[in-house]
Amino acid sequence: MAPKIFVTGGTGYIGGSVLHTIVTSHPDYEVSVLLRNIPDAFSSTYPNVKIIKGDYDSFDVLADAASKANLVVHNGNSDHEPSLNAIIAGLLRRSTPGFLMHLSGTAVVVDLHAEKYLGKAEPKIWSDTSNLADIWALPDTAPHRNTEKILNETVAKHGDKINIAIMCPPDIYGRGKGLAKTWSAYVPMFIDEAKKLGAAFYYGDGSNFKSWVHIEDLMHWYLKVVEAAASGGGGLDWGKDGYYFAGTQEVSQLDIAKVAGPVLKKHGVIQNGEPQQISLSTLDSMLQAVPYPKISRYMFALNSRTRPERAQKLWGYKGSAPGLLEVLEQDIADSVEKK
C-alpha cells in the first residue's frame, strides 16, 4: 500500500520545494496538500495531488488530514502553535503510529539580545548530536522555542504514537522548486536595506558567520527523511534524537557584502559597490516591517553556526550544489526582477 503523505505550506519557498520533490521523486506516494489559495497551474502540474482547502487556523481540517496520513510534513510558519496542535491531535487519532516532520530553523540557537559577538565571529558551533541537550534546554525567549517545546512534550507523552523529526535548516539560497514563492528570505531583505542605505553593508568587522544550504541540497536532505518515514522509520533518528541541522557551509556577512555590492551596482540598485560599515542604530532600524524583535541583528550581524552531524553520521550528508557566493549574483538578479 502506498504511503500517504500530507504536506502543509505547499506554496512557500521550502514547502513548495518539498512538495515538488516528493511528488516528482515518488509518484507512487499518495500526496495531499493544504492550500488556502490554489496557484493557476497547480492541478495541471500535480494532477494526482489531493488539494485540501484550508489554512493554519483550520483545526478540524488539519486534524482530519493528519489522521489519514502516514506522514505529515509541516512547513511554513514554524511558530504557529494552533496548526501544530491540530496536526498532533490528528496523528494521535491513528490506530498505528504516524510520522511528523516539523520545520524549525537555526535561529533557535541564536541569542538575539547578545552583543558580545555582534558583528564578530563567535567560536561556538552547535551540533545536533553533542549539543542536543543544550538545544532542548534553550530559554523560552529563543525563536521557534514555543513549537519545539510542544514537540518535545509530545515526544515525552506520546513518543510511542508519533515519530517526530524536527527539521532545522539554516539560511537557504537558490531558486525554489514550487509554483508560488521561489526565493529565500535573506536576499530580498538584504536588497531592500542596501537600496535604502545606498550600499551593501555589514556591522562591526563583518566576521559574524551563519550556516547556509542550497535549496537543492536541502531537498536531498528532506527526501532522505521522507523516504525513511514512508518505509516505517528507515533506521533514522526520531523522537528525542530526531533533531536535524542541514547547513553545508559558513559565510560571513562581510563576504556577502563584498560579493553583493558590485552585483547590486550592476543592476542599478545602489551607486556605490563598496561595502559600508553601519552603526548599531542603523542596524536596529532595519527590517521594521518584520514582526520579530531584533530580527535585523539575526539576519545581518549575529552568528548562527551549526553542523549537521546527525545527517552526516546517518547517511553521509554533504553539499553538492554551488556555494552561496557562487549563486548570489543569480539570486540577486532573480529578486531584482521580481520587484
Side-chain angles (χ1 to χ4, degrees), residues 54-69:
D55 58 28
Y56 289 151
D57 291 314
S58 304
F59 187 98
D60 291 340
V61 172
L62 284 163
D64 182 66
S67 71
K68 298 173 181 175

Side-chain angles (χ1 to χ4, degrees), residues 44-316:
S44 59
T45 305
Y46 309 119
N48 296 320
V49 173
K50 179 183 178 181
I51 296 171
I52 298 174
K53 287 284 289 182
D55 58 28
Y56 289 151
D57 291 314
S58 304
F59 187 98
D60 291 340
V61 172
L62 284 163
D64 182 66
S67 71
K68 298 173 181 175
N70 303 107
L71 164 66
V72 178
V73 188
H74 189 33
N75 308 289
N77 187 341
S78 300
D79 302 328
H80 194 269
E81 296 181 26
S83 59
L84 180 57
N85 286 327
I87 288 167
I88 291 170
L91 286 169
L92 288 174
R93 296 176 191 170
R94 289 177 46 84
S95 59
T96 58
F99 289 81
L100 168 60
M101 294 167 58
H102 172 82
L103 173 65
S104 186
T106 57
V108 71
V109 300
V110 179
D111 184 350
L112 298 180
H113 302 281
E115 296 192 11
K116 182 178 180 180
Y117 294 109
L118 195 62
K120 301 175 184 177
E122 181 176 6
K124 183 176 179 62
I125 302 176
W126 291 78
S127 163
D128 53 8
T129 56
S130 59
N131 294 128
L132 188 55
D134 298 329
I135 293 170
W136 285 131
L138 286 166
D140 290 353
T141 54
H144 313 318
R145 177 64 176 150
N146 62 319
T147 46
E148 288 199 2
K149 281 182 67 177
I150 291 172
L151 292 163
N152 199 14
E153 291 165 2
T154 301
V155 168
K157 294 178 182 178
H158 306 292
D160 58 332
K161 297 179 181 178
I162 305 177
N163 299 285
I164 292 175
I166 297 180
M167 311 297 282
C168 198
D171 283 53
I172 309 165
Y173 65 97
R175 190 177 296 173
K177 298 173 173 291
L179 294 178
K181 186 178 179 183
T182 57
W183 57 95
S184 71
Y186 179 90
V187 169
M189 289 181 178
F190 183 81
I191 291 174
D192 286 345
E193 297 302 333
K195 185 175 182 179
K196 295 173 190 174
L197 190 67
F201 57 88
Y202 62 95
Y203 175 75
D205 63 20
S207 64
N208 53 292
F209 282 97
K210 294 171 78 175
S211 296
W212 290 85
V213 65
H214 193 287
I215 191 71
E216 292 278 356
D217 289 325
L218 186 68
M219 290 305 103
H220 295 155
W221 175 78
Y222 252 96
L223 187 61
K224 187 71 176 182
V225 184
V226 167
E227 290 174 338
S231 65
L236 298 193
D237 292 335
W238 306 89
K240 64 182 180 65
D241 293 322
Y243 204 98
Y244 293 86
F245 287 146
T248 59
Q249 68 215 262
E250 290 188 325
V251 184
S252 73
Q253 178 67 20
L254 180 58
D255 283 340
I256 291 173
K258 285 179 176 178
V259 172
V263 177
L264 291 171
K265 181 180 179 181
K266 173 182 172 182
H267 286 276
V269 177
I270 58 177
Q271 297 302 312
N272 180 10
E274 290 297 316
Q276 177 179 319
Q277 185 185 56
I278 60 174
S279 67
L280 183 59
S281 60
T282 298
L283 174 66
D284 285 341
S285 71
M286 293 177 168
L287 305 180
Q288 290 297 306
V290 181
Y292 290 99
K294 308 291 186 181
I295 185 63
S296 59
R297 294 189 180 196
Y298 170 72
M299 295 302 293
F300 307 129
L302 284 167
N303 295 266
S304 178
R305 308 181 70 181
T306 57
R307 185 174 291 125
E309 291 185 348
R310 190 172 306 281
Q312 290 171 349
K313 176 188 72 174
L314 289 171
W315 69 85

